[in-house]
Amino acid sequence: ILFQIFDAFKSRLHDSNSKVNQIALETLHKMIPLLKDNLSPVINMLIPAIVDNNLNSKNPRIYAAATNVIQALCQHLDNYLLLQPFCTKAQFLSGRAKQDMTERLA
């Protein structure tokens, strides 16, 4: 059921309405400490949704919210779960998002 919930939630992280996108990121930030490693089945789906558009967003609120989500993931999940998706993203991103993901990996 967790997969079904996050599959639907993922589209809000890509929403064209910046307010919806920002609220989705802020909500995810609040959910991470509660779910912790229980997010492992959906982490490979979530990280691209969080990172792809949001870490390169020109909207400072969306960028800040995405950065907060990445930070919360690093604080509350086993780093082993994050290593592969972070490496994959760092490899194929550009700009500020690539720099942010590379710093997280380091």
Side-chain angles (χ1 to χ4, degrees):
I1 195 159
L2 188 70
F3 190 81
Q4 293 169 328
I5 292 168
F6 278 96
D7 193 40
F9 184 76
K10 165 181 82 164
S11 62
R12 300 294 61 97
L13 295 168
H14 289 294
D15 204 283
S16 59
N17 183 326
S18 62
K19 289 182 182 180
V20 171
N21 193 339
Q22 180 183 343
I23 295 293
L25 287 165
E26 291 170 356
T27 302
L28 182 58
H29 181 256
K30 293 174 186 173
M31 292 166 45
I32 291 168
L34 301 172
L35 295 173
K36 298 183 182 181
D37 287 339
N38 292 320
L39 287 171
S40 63
V42 295
I43 202 70
N44 288 327
M45 169 189 12
L46 276 181
I47 290 183
I50 296 162
V51 171
D52 286 346
N53 297 322
N54 300 317
L55 278 184
N56 273 331
S57 177
K58 294 186 189 317
N59 182 326
R61 290 185 179 123
I62 290 175
Y63 173 75
T67 302
N68 288 339
V69 169
I70 296 296
Q71 183 176 350
L73 287 171
C74 292
Q75 286 177 333
H76 297 286
L77 271 70
D78 186 341
N79 289 336
Y80 178 76
L81 294 171
L82 301 173
L83 183 60
Q84 184 60 47
F86 277 18
C87 284
T88 302
K89 285 286 109 192
Q91 187 176 12
F92 296 108
L93 289 170
S94 61
R96 180 169 57 176
K98 184 177 188 95
Q99 179 181 349
D100 288 345
M101 293 308 295
T102 303
E103 287 175 10
R104 293 290 176 196
L105 281 167

